[in-house]
Amino acid sequence: RAPIEWVYSKPSGVSFARSETTVSQYRACVEAGKCESKHHQTKSDNKYCNWGYSDRDDHPMNCVDWYGADQFCEWAGGRLPTEQEWEAEAGAGGSRQYPWGNQEVSCDFSVWGDGSNTDGCGKDHTWPVCSKRRGDSVSGLCDMAGNVWEWTSSWYDSDKKSRVLRGGSWRRGGPVGFRASSRSGSTPARRYYSGGFRCVVSSQ
């Protein structure tokens, strides 16, 4: 199985993967026959999809739908976090506006984009995970805000058609989406180049 570094989150009471799931980690699941290829897209589908680039093994796995994320976390011995667990860690139990504190979003803390020419802090794509350690959350998790939006297990709407995504991404969006309290939603089958995920394991 793909090596995942689990970090205990006191605010949420579960252990999170330190980083967003990387391309190389996800590939291990596909090669093990546990993650179906139909749940992700490649650079052939969209140039912003990281799968298929030889130099992006340590970038977050993006262009993956909710089902692919769910399959990976199950294979890794975990699950997707609830949005409450995610927010508890990202906001340090409500004491931080952003994972790193209360300073406004910038490329010092996060791989982000404001819709101008600075998407991905000037690179126009994701960065390797944990590139912005000054932006780590209270427990030391990387990229809780920025790089890619992260799927959760929670429903976004009462009629259960969309799942919650958290954290903002490298592409557009402005500062509001990076707050620990901000939420977005998408249909589970959507495979978007600004979306990815990380897993959690319940504490023993």
Side-chain angles (χ1 to χ4, degrees):
R1 291 186 179 184
I4 294 175
E5 184 185 356
W6 301 104
V7 179
Y8 180 69
S9 162
K10 195 172 180 181
S12 66
V14 297
S15 293
F16 280 80
R18 185 180 295 281
S19 76
E20 293 164 336
T21 301
T22 65
V23 172
S24 62
Q25 288 171 334
Y26 195 82
R27 185 186 301 112
C29 182
V30 172
E31 291 175 348
K34 299 298 183 183
C35 290
E36 298 171 276
S37 294
K38 67 181 181 182
H39 292 307
H40 73 268
Q41 291 180 320
T42 73
K43 74 169 188 176
S44 302
D45 301 299
N46 189 301
K47 69 174 183 178
Y48 292 120
C49 295
N50 288 331
W51 183 287
Y53 284 97
S54 60
D55 59 348
R56 294 193 193 174
D57 273 8
D58 57 351
H59 283 239
M61 179 64 191
N62 63 356
C63 302
V64 57
D65 65 26
W66 184 90
Y67 305 102
D70 187 55
Q71 284 180 345
F72 177 89
C73 289
E74 184 177 350
W75 172 73
R79 58 178 172 81
L80 287 168
T82 66
E83 70 167 323
Q84 292 82 6
E85 290 166 342
W86 193 98
E87 183 175 332
E89 170 59 28
S95 65
R96 294 182 178 185
Q97 190 172 4
Y98 301 101
W100 53 84
N102 296 313
Q103 299 100 314
E104 282 300 310
V105 182
S106 75
C107 288
D108 290 336
F109 302 110
S110 180
V111 181
W112 78 301
D114 62 5
S116 66
N117 294 324
T118 60
D119 279 354
C121 294
K123 293 194 176 181
D124 200 35
H125 54 66
T126 59
W127 288 43
V129 297
C130 298
S131 291
K132 303 284 188 180
R133 296 308 300 265
R134 284 184 64 192
D136 282 6
S137 67
V138 63
S139 303
L141 307 186
C142 312
D143 303 316
M144 289 288 277
N147 232 358
V148 288
W149 284 95
E150 299 182 13
W151 286 112
T152 72
S153 62
S154 300
W155 291 106
Y156 184 71
D157 45 358
S158 55
D159 53 2
K160 298 188 174 180
K161 290 184 177 175
S162 295
R163 296 279 187 176
V164 172
L165 291 129
R166 291 290 196 132
S169 82
W170 63 274
R171 181 137 172 112
R172 302 202 174 107
V176 66
F178 295 81
R179 291 179 186 153
S181 58
S182 294
R183 61 203 299 264
S184 183
S186 179
T187 53
R190 191 174 189 190
R191 294 166 293 183
Y192 198 49
Y193 51 72
S194 63
F197 67 99
R198 82 178 72 217
C199 309
V200 298
V201 287
S202 300
S203 359
Q204 303 304 319

